Each structure stands twice: as structure tokens, then as C-alpha cells.
Amino acid sequence: MYHHQNGSLERRAQASNGDIATNNVVTVISNSNPITTRLLGSPRSDHMPDNYEDLPLDFNPLVFTSLERHLPPHVINLSKDVKAHYMSNILLRYLPHSERTRMQKQKEYRQKIILNYPPLHKEIYTMHSENFFTPSFLRAIKANTAASFRSIMAEPSRGIYTFEMLQPHFCEMLVSEVDHFERWVHETKFRIMRPNTMNQYGAVLDDFGLENMLDKLMNDFIRPLAGVFFSEIGGSTLDSHHGFVVEYGTNRDVDLGFHVDDAEVTLNICLGTQFSGGELFFRGVRCDEHVNTETQTGEIFDYSHVPGHAVLHSGRHRHGARPTISGNRINLILWCRSSAFREIKKYQREFPNWCGECRRKKKERERVSIAATKEELLKRELKSAS
Ligand SMILES: O=C(O)CCC(=O)C(=O)O
Ligand SMILES: [Fe+2]
């Protein structure tokens, strides 16, 4: 069993012991001077904070909204970007050094690509929902009810949702953008990072400018769905993503081994083009404890990709992709994560209900206990009858 990881993206703001509160002002001590960024110890309850959902940020936008009331007077009424920058600088100091370095490196890597790579289709870098999505998908999202979501979905196996999502023209543009990017990488001999530990090919879309568009895709289109279908595993609190394409076929990867994703909820959309094979095989959802346990017959499910169609599943749903036997297949994958769910999970002692093996064990315990009670009752009846 492999585990897809591209490094933990969890970002946590923790109180450090280096904070001194004086006159209602918390000074954040750093080892470099001068100290310029400060927060007020008590929030300004009369201040209405901004909404930070539309900005590209390194931390959950809700953290910025909460923190804004603590901004000092000379910052609190400045523009949203400036405030976000100010607060980011403070939050970054609370991260472990290794994580801060990793984030800084990633930022520099992305900036280097974005400054040099000339996009082919500029129109796909910002969200144009009418041009990207099929009318049925758009209608369901706009209606924003569990019933409207259900009306476009099939659930061919427990916890696996499939639906029509992308317009053919958008798929074509994205595929040619990826081709264009890869040609640029080849020509400039730029060394790029592959999407994850299991793919030799494919590209991280977030690295060459599509991060904001994919963030919007997650926030406005996937989180509402995940809030309904994956509420138990943080579906309504998804707050970061890893977006990439995988490519199979001639001169590409052939298949993908059995694994779980580093994601709470995974969106997998086939972009085309012409291929045979490449089916996804699913083998049940598992928690960390039970990731290598046996598959039950009801958990076996195979899915054949259809261009433009999406599969939405739990990242902990064990799966893999069979060999693409002819042609080329390219899929867009969005690993959606919830920092809140990951934090809560650390303190949960009970076996989770979303794990197939935990559920099976619980049922088995119940069956044994019911059988024991029945036997006990029978014994008593026999005793009183004699
Ligand atoms: O090839 C596919 O469709 C599945 C890809 C996948 O599971 C992944 O990249 O995590
Ligand atoms: Fe996967």
C-alpha cells in the first residue's frame, strides 16, 4: 500500500512562549530586528472585518477574518491586501522553521515559473464558470440544495459520486495548456516537480498559475457538494488543495498502484482524450489503523473514465488506476484538504464511522453482544420454567 504525499500542507498558528503582553499589545518577538508587526491583545469589537476568501493566502481565510479585529489602529483601515500581508507575516512566525522554509521555497519555485512561462490560453487562469462547466452542473450548484446536487449525481458504490462536469472545449484548452507547459519545460530545461510520489509524468497546475482558479473551483463548487456528501470527513471545511494532472499512455505513466490520497476529498475529472483501459478500482474507505485490512465484497468497485465526467470520493477510499492500454489519458485531480478536520482527528479516540473496517468491527461487536443477551435470556426462561 502506498501513501500519496507531497508534504504536509497543514498550517497551524500556535502560541509560542516568546510572546510578551504589555499594555494590551502582544509583541511578536523575532530573532531579527526591528519588530514592526504587532497585534492588539483584545479584539476591537466595533470593527467589521473583511472577507478574505477571494485572496490567495497561505492560511485559512477565516483566520484572517478573526485576526483582523486585533490589528493595531494604523493598519486596521488599510486595504485588504495590505492587511492580509501584515497578518501573514505574523502567522508565518508561528510556524515551525521547517514548514516556513518549505512554504518559502514553494513560493519562490512558483514565482520563478510564473514569471517565465507564457500561458497559451489566458482565459482558463480565471474562473469563467459558464465556459468551464456543463449547464446541468452549473444549475445544480446555483440551486445549492442537497436535492439539486443529488439530481445530477450517481452513487454507483457507497461514497463514490460520479457526474458530468466539464465542457469539451474547456477540457481541450486545459489539455493543450498542459502540453504547452511541458514543451516549455523541455525547451528551457526547467526542472519541475511531479504531482506526487507515484507519478513520473504529469504536472502540478498550482505551480504554473492555476492556483487561484483551482481555489475558486474548490471553494465555490466542490465544498458545497462535499459539505453534503462528505460532512463526516471535513467536507464543509475544505480549505486547501493540491491540483495536478496525471498522464497515461505512450511515453507516459502506464498505471497507478493501490493507494490512498493525502486529501479529505478527491475530485478526479477525465479531460480525455482517446484511450482504452485506465479504469479506476476502488476497495473501500479506511482509517490509518485499518489501511491494509481486507476488502469486503461490497467494497469492490471499478469505474471507467468518461471525458468531461468527474468522480468525487474520500481521499481515504483505497484506489488505483489500471493500465491505459491504448491512446492517451489525462485527468485533472484536485486533492481537497481540511485543516480543521485534521486537527480534530488528532484528538478522536473512537474508531471513526467513515472507515469500512471500523463499521464492520462495530457491527460484529453488536452482533456478539446481542447473541450473548439472547442466550442469557433463554437460559433464564428455561430456569424459571423448570
Ligand atoms: O489515474 C487516475 O484517474 C487516478 C489518479 C489518482 O488516483 C491520483 O492521482 O491520486
Ligand atoms: Fe488517488
Side-chain angles (χ1 to χ4, degrees):
M1 171 75 58
Y2 298 89
H3 195 106
H4 268 205
Q5 288 277 4
N6 81 321
S8 164
L9 282 186
E10 268 178 76
R11 280 145 211 176
R12 240 165 281 121
Q14 289 169 336
S16 83
N17 296 330
D19 299 343
I20 306 171
T22 26
N23 300 335
N24 208 22
V25 173
V26 177
T27 305
V28 184
I29 294 183
S30 80
N31 56 0
S32 62
N33 52 65
I35 298 158
T36 49
T37 40
R38 291 154 167 240
L39 289 176
L40 300 181
S42 321
R44 290 226 340 222
S45 50
D46 58 333
H47 177 76
M48 187 63 193
D50 273 312
N51 181 324
Y52 288 85
E53 294 246 330
D54 57 334
L55 290 187
L57 302 166
D58 293 328
F59 303 92
N60 188 322
L62 292 174
V63 174
F64 289 81
T65 304
S66 310
L67 216 53
E68 186 175 322
R69 286 205 169 104
H70 292 264
L71 286 176
H74 70 284
V75 184
I76 202 158
N77 292 318
L78 299 178
S79 75
K80 197 158 83 169
D81 293 280
V82 175
K83 285 185 289 190
H85 183 70
Y86 189 91
M87 289 186 276
S88 286
N89 278 337
I90 291 173
L91 289 167
L92 277 170
R93 293 184 191 168
Y94 288 80
L95 287 177
H97 181 69
S98 57
E99 178 69 352
R100 212 158 63 201
T101 315
R102 197 193 61 73
M103 275 168 73
Q104 185 60 31
K105 277 200 178 138
Q106 187 190 56
K107 218 177 216 169
E108 284 165 11
Y109 168 74
R110 284 184 180 171
Q111 267 164 2
K112 205 163 149 194
I113 296 177
I114 291 164
L115 280 174
N116 292 292
Y117 171 65
L120 178 66
H121 299 293
K122 284 215 172 70
E123 61 266 49
I124 63 169
Y125 286 77
T126 39
M127 174 58 73
H128 296 291
S129 56
E130 310 283 329
N131 300 342
F132 291 8
F133 305 120
T134 59
S136 63
F137 180 75
L138 268 181
R139 242 180 283 122
I141 297 295
K142 277 196 184 135
N144 197 23
T145 63
S148 69
F149 299 158
R150 280 209 173 85
S151 76
I152 58 160
M153 304 242 175
E155 187 182 2
S157 178
R158 182 181 182 145
I160 299 168
Y161 300 91
T162 63
F163 50 97
E164 187 190 84
M165 184 174 174
L166 296 179
Q167 288 189 25
H169 183 54
F170 174 76
C171 294
E172 281 160 27
M173 280 197 293
L174 187 51
V175 169
S176 66
E177 188 70 48
V178 171
D179 274 350
H180 184 250
F181 174 67
E182 277 172 353
R183 224 167 299 143
W184 176 82
V185 168
H186 187 74
E187 280 161 17
T188 58
K189 300 200 169 50
F190 198 96
R191 274 184 51 145
I192 57 161
M193 294 197 273
R194 293 300 173 186
N196 54 61
T197 47
M198 291 170 71
N199 295 88
Q200 306 261 29
Y201 295 88
V204 179
L205 302 176
D206 298 315
D207 288 347
F208 66 94
L210 286 157
E211 187 182 8
N212 292 352
M213 187 278 279
L214 293 177
D215 220 37
K216 220 161 167 48
L217 170 63
M218 182 186 76
N219 291 336
D220 299 349
F221 300 88
I222 301 309
R223 198 166 51 205
L225 297 175
V228 169
F229 301 111
F230 298 100
S231 59
E232 271 186 312
I233 52 164
S236 59
T237 52
L238 300 176
D239 58 4
S240 73
H241 77 261
H242 177 52
F244 56 96
V245 288
V246 285
E247 296 174 82
Y248 305 88
T250 342
N251 302 326
R252 295 284 184 263
D253 286 313
V254 176
D255 57 5
L256 186 66
F258 195 37
H259 67 277
V260 289
D261 300 333
D262 180 14
E264 270 61 70
V265 177
T266 297
L267 174 74
N268 177 345
I269 320 165
C270 184
L271 302 173
T273 47
Q274 302 266 319
F275 61 90
S276 61
E279 298 84 4
L280 283 179
F281 57 94
F282 287 95
R283 296 294 182 267
V285 182
R286 292 293 185 273
C287 64
D288 290 340
E289 185 109 358
H290 297 131
V291 74
N292 283 313
T293 56
E294 251 176 65
T295 303
Q296 304 301 314
T297 37
E299 295 179 317
I300 297 176
F301 175 66
D302 284 22
Y303 170 78
S304 298
H305 281 297
V306 179
H309 286 219
V311 186
L312 195 65
H313 62 83
S314 156
R316 305 288 320 182
H317 210 134
R318 304 179 299 176
H319 62 284
R322 296 200 193 286
T324 293
I325 48 185
S326 70
N328 283 300
R329 173 167 80 83
I330 172 161
N331 279 49
L332 162 60
I333 315 283
L334 195 69
W335 285 355
C336 304
R337 298 163 177 151
S338 161
S339 54
F341 177 75
R342 289 181 185 207
E343 204 59 39
I344 291 166
K345 207 168 78 169
K346 287 187 201 154
Y347 305 100
Q348 273 173 348
R349 290 172 140 249
E350 283 232 339
F351 283 155
N353 200 42
W354 47 262
C355 165
E357 183 66 10
C358 286
R359 273 201 314 273
R360 196 186 64 78
K361 284 197 155 161
K362 197 172 156 198
K363 261 196 201 141
E364 181 59 19
R365 276 198 302 270
E366 280 167 3
R367 197 189 59 76
V368 169
S369 134
I370 289 169
T373 314
K374 270 189 186 160
E375 198 172 324
E376 184 60 32
L377 286 174
L378 203 67
K379 262 192 216 155
R380 279 190 211 168
E381 265 175 43
L382 287 173
K383 227 184 199 170
S384 62
S386 62

